[in-house]
Amino acid sequence: MLEKLISKIKEYNPQGDIGQVIKAYKYAEKAHEGQLRRSGEEYFIHPFNVAMILADLHMDVATISAGLLHDVLEDTDVTFEVLADEFSEEIANLVDGVTKLKKLKFRTKEENQVENLRKMIIAMSKDIRVIIIKLADRLHNARTLDYMPEAKRKEKALETLEIYAPIAHRLGISKIKWELEDIALRYIDPEGYYELVEKVSKKRKEREAYINNLIKVLKDKLDEMEITSEISGRPKHFYSIYRKMVYQNKNFEQIFDLTAIRVIVDNVKDCYGVLGIVHTLWKPIPGRFKDYIAVPKPNMYQSLHTTVIGPRGEPFEIQIRTFEMHKIAEYGIAAHWKYKEGVDKSTDFENKLSWLRQLLEWQKDLKDPKEFMESLKIDFFNDEVFVFTPKGDVINLPAGSTPIDFAYRVHTAVGNNCVGAKVDGRIVPIDFKIKNGNIIEILTSPNSAGPSRDWLKLVKSSQAKAKIKQWFKKEERDQNLNKGKELLEKEVKRQGFKLTEILKEDWLKQISKKLSFNNIDDLYAALGYGSITLSQVTTRLKEFYREYYDIKTEPKEEISHHVNEKKSRTPNQGVSIKGIDNIKVRFSRCCSPVPGDDIVGYVTRGRGVSVHRRDCPNIAELNINERFIDVEWASDKKTSYNAEIQIKATDRTGLLTEITQLLTDAKLSVNSLNARTSKERIIIINMTLEIKDVEQLTNLMRKIKALSGVIDVYRVIT
């Protein structure tokens, strides 16, 4: 294995410090000794394959060494200081940047994922190699997903498709992007994937013969014009075809560009020469020509794209680029790596990464995990449009942006004083959706009243949203401060707390510091203008409250929400307590126990007995044994209970109808239902059901899971 790795590195970097790679290889092998992967293989197989992927990308030896060592801080006893002393601070920093935040505690899985992304973005801004190692790590893990449990496979595949493949795209590393997308699709929609593979396979021979004939015609013409070239067919990746079928509602037979023709030449002049020849051989389709040489994509991709009508009347795409452009198209940022031995460390490379520092700047004020993720997906993962200033400078913005987005990209003052805009010389409304190639001029006035709150609904880019919020934050601080204080007081009252018992100055100071605010007033102001949510504050306040008053249950009003008040109740609400009658019983909101669940009672101060499931995470935290009490379900068949389930599925027509039919067949009532769909057409459905016992719930969940496209179904515990 070591010889294979060294041989691969020497192919592109004969002057590299191979000794360092050998040392890292042996160190990691020893550190992971005795550890096994789910497949039963030695764990070291994983870091070795990560290093091989990095070598495929032609990375420098420091990055490959860090790839070999990338799990030692997380999975072994090795510390940062030891690693820095044994190798170098550069390598230790790379490994630390990749290391997950396993030792930190997060209240939700979403928050955990967001904090990991924040750390990655910060590490990326310091050294872009961190994310390249992380992508290599994710790629090898994706290749070995077969050894994971089914639910975990789908979860990791979805995360790969929503986060890591777009990051690879943003960095221009198509070599990794396409493989990540195809692997993820195989686990998210296996039926659709294998059906697609079969259809492509059946059509491949016929398609290859047709493309080879087109290549021969073009090659003969280029040779005649004495243009040196390499021409090849580029098969379209499965996920790319799948997206066209799903998002453009096309069937397989309507997709003609299963294979594109790629022409690689020596210089830019020949690129445009080839374009002219192509358009004389075949008729171009209007509006389908894109010049990414004159206006490169933000991920440094350059190429000419044109779609023409072939001899059989079918459209096909031709891509034209130089050899250097092709290398960048495949390897992206890795092809430009400034730390490669002998490469001049010019400012050009730093300029190419300016978008990353801007991203970090725009995201730093976002405290709410959901808002951060939505913002990140828009700025990092969305399609883009390219527009021009009146002076001809190119500016890229998220697709769907308005002139307001453009104004704030030019300068904060231009955005704040914007009173109108011209697009291609015509005055347009500020909610106008800008398109590729528009020339935009912003009209400003020193007497402008400033941005409107309605702009927050119009703008698409996180930069514009952040700047507008900053303006209101500064202009309306006192108003926001009072509003935030009032909102918090109302919320804790609603949850059954006394203000004097829970809004303690010391607790609020600690929460302010935890959420990166200088003082309590800043915290109130942030609540007022909406940069943080009430739940972020109340959750922490309740933790202090329980610890201070030695109370481990929810406040009285919240605990009883999941009891159906419409039904008549026995005094103990369907639960019997040995040796005790007529005591108030409350069902915990966090785990919503129902008949059939293994339960335990917890005696609260002045609020009776709180009933939890024994597997409730909150029970595990309680250590006051004398407050636990044995409880059991009474044989009252008339009592009904509420239970919440979450369904994760591939969005498709008729899914909700089929789920509703199952509920009707089971004669179950739905008390609440919430559904949301992700960009990748994954639907998340939360519903609260009125049930008799856990068996009834289990049967329903089993039937829902058997529906086509359903990824997972589980009970919700908060």
Side-chain angles (χ1 to χ4, degrees):
M1 284 164 55
L2 180 56
E3 287 176 5
K4 186 177 177 183
L5 178 61
I6 291 170
S7 174
K8 187 178 283 287
I9 295 169
K10 284 184 174 179
E11 284 176 13
Y12 68 90
N13 188 7
Q15 307 303 319
D17 184 0
I18 299 300
Q20 187 183 72
V21 176
I22 294 170
K23 181 181 177 182
Y25 179 99
K26 292 181 177 178
Y27 190 91
E29 188 177 33
K30 186 176 180 181
H32 291 295
E33 193 173 13
Q35 295 177 353
L36 298 176
R37 284 173 64 77
R38 286 180 182 270
S39 62
E41 295 176 309
E42 289 184 11
Y43 189 87
F44 180 66
I45 291 292
H46 171 62
F48 165 74
N49 276 284
V50 169
M52 288 294 288
I53 292 168
L54 293 169
D56 280 336
L57 294 175
H58 294 185
M59 293 305 295
D60 60 306
V61 293
T63 308
I64 293 170
S65 299
L68 288 163
L69 298 162
H70 80 274
D71 274 334
V72 296
L73 293 183
E74 183 177 322
D75 295 332
T76 75
D77 295 331
V78 177
T79 64
F80 178 90
E81 292 73 22
V82 169
L83 199 62
D85 186 56
E86 192 71 33
F87 291 91
S88 67
E89 195 161 325
E90 176 191 20
I91 289 176
N93 281 329
L94 287 172
V95 175
D96 184 54
V98 181
T99 302
K100 295 174 188 171
L101 306 181
K102 266 190 175 177
K103 296 178 182 177
L104 297 182
K105 291 184 179 179
F106 299 98
R107 286 175 300 285
T108 66
K109 182 177 179 182
E110 184 179 41
E111 187 172 335
N112 192 352
Q113 185 185 61
V114 166
E115 290 305 322
N116 274 299
L117 278 169
R118 278 193 199 273
K119 186 179 181 186
M120 274 202 301
I121 291 170
I122 292 168
M124 282 164 64
S125 68
K126 294 176 182 175
D127 195 329
I128 196 70
R129 291 175 295 178
V130 167
I131 194 59
I132 297 175
I133 297 169
K134 185 65 184 174
L135 288 172
D137 170 56
R138 176 51 62 117
L139 178 56
H140 183 251
N141 281 331
R143 288 172 178 173
T144 55
L145 274 177
D146 276 340
Y147 298 102
M148 302 284 282
E150 184 182 356
K152 199 74 174 174
R153 283 202 300 262
K154 290 181 178 178
E155 179 187 317
K156 289 293 181 186
L158 187 61
E159 186 180 69
T160 297
L161 200 57
E162 287 189 334
I163 296 172
Y164 291 98
I167 287 176
H169 172 68
R170 195 66 173 81
L171 297 177
I173 312 175
S174 61
K175 192 177 177 71
I176 286 182
K177 178 206 176 213
W178 292 118
E179 188 176 352
L180 285 176
E181 287 180 338
D182 283 356
I183 292 174
L185 176 61
R186 179 153 51 98
Y187 293 105
I188 289 171
D189 185 3
E191 188 178 328
Y193 173 82
Y194 286 111
E195 184 181 340
L196 192 57
V197 170
E198 186 180 352
K199 285 179 177 178
V200 170
S201 180
K202 284 180 180 177
K203 208 169 182 181
R204 179 171 288 138
K205 284 187 179 179
E206 173 199 346
R207 195 72 195 158
E208 282 178 353
Y210 176 58
I211 290 295
N212 287 338
N213 181 55
L214 295 174
I215 289 172
K216 184 178 185 308
V217 171
L218 181 57
K219 181 66 176 171
D220 289 346
K221 192 67 175 176
L222 294 182
D223 288 346
E224 182 185 323
M225 302 299 292
E226 298 182 348
I227 295 178
T228 305
S229 64
E230 284 185 10
I231 309 179
S232 60
R234 180 191 64 81
K236 207 170 186 69
H237 293 269
F238 294 119
Y239 182 68
S240 181
I241 302 170
Y242 182 86
R243 274 181 64 90
K244 274 199 171 184
M245 292 171 68
V246 171
Y247 294 115
Q248 297 180 21
N249 200 24
K250 291 183 175 182
N251 58 45
F252 183 76
E253 286 67 32
Q254 290 175 297
I255 299 176
F256 298 108
D257 57 338
L258 294 175
T259 308
I261 292 177
R262 180 177 292 150
V263 184
I264 305 177
V265 294
D266 290 330
N267 53 58
V268 173
K269 185 186 80 169
D270 286 346
C271 288
Y272 290 99
V274 171
L275 178 69
I277 291 169
V278 166
H279 285 177
T280 58
L281 288 172
W282 302 289
K283 193 169 289 187
I285 298 177
R288 293 297 301 272
F289 167 65
K290 292 174 184 173
D291 188 343
Y292 294 120
I293 293 179
V295 185
K297 290 186 178 183
N299 62 10
M300 299 175 293
Y301 177 88
Q302 287 185 287
S303 191
L304 297 176
H305 290 194
T306 185
T307 303
V308 296
I309 301 294
R312 297 196 313 204
E314 292 181 359
F316 65 95
E317 185 183 62
I318 295 182
Q319 300 172 355
I320 309 163
R321 61 180 70 146
T322 66
F323 287 97
E324 180 63 22
M325 291 173 191
H326 181 62
K327 185 170 72 170
I328 293 167
E330 292 291 301
Y331 299 105
I333 203 79
H336 275 266
W337 186 242
K338 67 176 180 178
Y339 288 97
K340 287 181 179 178
E341 288 77 6
V343 175
D344 177 36
K345 299 180 184 180
S346 65
T347 56
D348 181 53
F349 181 85
E350 295 300 328
N351 292 335
K352 287 182 171 67
L353 292 179
S354 61
W355 61 269
L356 186 56
R357 283 184 292 279
Q358 289 173 345
L359 177 68
L360 185 63
E361 181 69 24
W362 304 335
Q363 308 297 335
K364 68 180 181 182
D365 290 331
L366 298 177
K367 305 288 192 297
D368 180 44
K370 287 184 180 176
E371 188 180 358
F372 176 87
M373 282 301 292
E374 287 306 311
S375 171
L376 192 67
K377 285 178 181 178
I378 289 169
D379 281 321
F380 215 150
F381 309 150
N382 255 21
D383 292 334
E384 294 180 299
V385 292
F386 299 88
V387 293
F388 297 91
T389 68
K391 292 182 179 179
D393 296 326
V394 179
I395 289 182
N396 62 291
L397 291 163
S401 289
T402 66
I404 306 172
D405 292 282
F406 178 89
Y408 278 104
R409 181 62 62 88
V410 173
H411 196 278
T412 303
V414 174
N416 288 340
N417 294 309
C418 172
V419 293
K422 288 183 178 180
V423 174
D424 298 337
R426 293 183 300 107
I427 292 178
V428 297
I430 56 173
D431 62 350
F432 178 84
K433 296 289 187 291
I434 59 181
K435 300 177 181 64
N436 277 317
N438 284 154
I439 300 172
I440 303 177
E441 180 184 351
I442 300 299
L443 307 176
T444 62
S445 169
N447 299 319
S448 164
S452 160
R453 286 196 180 275
D454 291 336
W455 289 8
L456 290 170
K457 299 173 185 176
L458 300 178
V459 296
K460 192 73 173 175
S461 65
S462 288
Q463 182 190 20
K465 286 182 181 177
K467 296 298 181 185
I468 294 167
K469 285 182 178 180
Q470 280 177 16
W471 189 89
F472 282 108
K473 178 181 177 182
K474 184 178 178 181
E475 293 292 315
E476 303 175 2
R477 177 176 166 78
D478 290 342
Q479 182 183 336
N480 285 324
L481 193 155
N482 293 329
K483 181 182 176 184
K485 188 174 182 180
E486 184 183 339
L487 286 170
L488 184 59
E489 288 176 352
K490 279 185 178 179
E491 179 62 17
V492 295
K493 278 182 182 177
R494 188 190 68 78
Q495 294 191 19
F497 294 99
K498 292 181 180 179
L499 298 184
T500 54
E501 291 181 354
I502 194 166
L503 293 182
K504 296 186 180 291
E505 185 177 354
D506 183 50
W507 298 352
L508 288 169
K509 280 181 179 177
Q510 291 184 58
I511 293 169
S512 299
K513 187 176 179 182
K514 183 78 174 175
L515 293 175
S516 304
F517 295 111
N518 294 324
N519 51 53
I520 298 173
D521 283 352
D522 286 351
L523 177 73
Y524 282 140
L527 282 170
Y529 64 74
S531 70
I532 60 171
T533 62
L534 282 167
S535 63
Q536 287 177 271
V537 180
T538 56
T539 301
R540 289 175 168 91
L541 280 172
K542 286 187 281 187
E543 289 171 0
F544 284 122
Y545 180 89
R546 292 171 196 147
E547 184 178 349
Y548 183 81
Y549 293 107
D550 198 19
I551 294 172
K552 298 292 182 179
T553 56
E554 293 289 328
K556 53 189 176 184
E557 187 175 315
E558 286 200 353
I559 296 172
S560 59
H561 279 313
H562 281 256
V563 177
N564 189 334
E565 300 296 342
K566 296 178 187 176
K567 301 288 181 177
S568 60
R569 295 288 189 190
T570 55
N572 58 8
Q573 304 205 30
V575 171
S576 64
I577 303 171
K578 191 175 181 180
I580 304 176
D581 293 322
N582 296 322
I583 189 170
K584 187 185 289 185
V585 171
R586 296 181 182 276
F587 293 93
S588 67
R589 178 181 176 182
C590 52
C591 57
S592 303
V594 297
D597 287 333
D598 191 9
I599 54 175
V600 64
Y602 185 78
V603 180
T604 66
R605 293 183 175 179
R607 298 190 185 94
V609 174
S610 175
V611 179
H612 291 257
R613 284 164 52 181
R614 283 193 184 273
D615 61 356
C616 176
N618 294 329
I619 284 294
E621 297 177 6
L622 302 178
N623 52 17
I624 310 174
N625 292 326
E626 60 268 23
R627 290 209 194 166
F628 285 117
I629 187 169
D630 289 332
V631 295
E632 60 183 27
W633 295 105
S635 57
D636 181 5
K637 298 295 182 183
K638 296 180 181 179
T639 307
S640 61
Y641 304 82
N642 278 8
E644 185 180 359
I645 64 172
Q646 184 172 97
I647 304 163
K648 186 182 289 187
T650 306
D651 194 13
R652 63 174 175 81
T653 304
L655 176 64
L656 205 54
T657 305
E658 291 174 21
I659 293 172
T660 305
Q661 186 59 52
L662 290 177
L663 294 171
T664 304
D665 294 344
K667 298 180 180 178
L668 290 174
S669 298
V670 180
N671 287 347
S672 68
L673 185 145
N674 177 270
R676 57 196 183 278
T677 307
S678 73
K679 180 184 172 186
E680 300 301 334
R681 300 186 68 82
I682 298 298
I683 187 169
I684 307 292
I685 303 170
N686 281 68
M687 57 172 66
T688 304
L689 306 168
E690 191 177 304
I691 64 166
K692 299 290 185 187
D693 54 37
V694 73
E695 183 180 353
Q696 191 179 32
L697 184 63
T698 304
N699 288 338
L700 175 69
M701 289 167 65
R702 187 180 66 251
K703 289 176 182 176
I704 292 174
K705 197 163 187 178
L707 294 177
S708 173
V710 173
I711 298 168
D712 200 5
V713 185
Y714 53 88
R715 281 178 72 179
V716 174
I717 299 179
T718 58

